[in-house]
Amino acid sequence: NSVSELGDTVPEVNAIALAFSPGRGLPLMAVSLGGPSRFVTADALRQDGVPALQRMVRRLQQDIDRA
């Protein structure tokens, strides 16, 4: 699941984040994506950003598992 902060805390910034547990005794981690709301729209984050973060986390998890 992703967490979004779309114009709620800082109206000029839209951002999303995805937390994951990398295992191997490492702490919970998160990756995020965002930027100024005039360039990074909430719709773009929902439609493109969430799937991109999900792919990134899957790749990170695979790389950690192989290490």
Side-chain angles (χ1 to χ4, degrees):
N1 290 335
S2 65
V3 175
S4 60
E5 193 63 43
L6 303 170
D8 295 331
T9 304
V10 180
E12 302 84 24
V13 176
N14 285 330
I16 57 174
L18 183 61
F20 69 102
S21 179
R24 296 186 179 225
L26 295 168
L28 185 66
M29 297 181 183
V31 291
S32 63
L33 174 66
S37 58
R38 67 178 185 262
F39 300 120
V40 181
T41 67
D43 285 340
L45 286 174
R46 285 186 193 106
Q47 292 175 2
D48 302 321
V50 170
L53 282 181
Q54 290 170 333
R55 285 190 302 272
M56 180 183 291
V57 165
R58 277 194 298 274
R59 287 192 68 184
L60 285 170
Q61 191 68 63
Q62 290 170 351
D63 289 347
I64 290 167
D65 290 345
R66 280 187 282 234

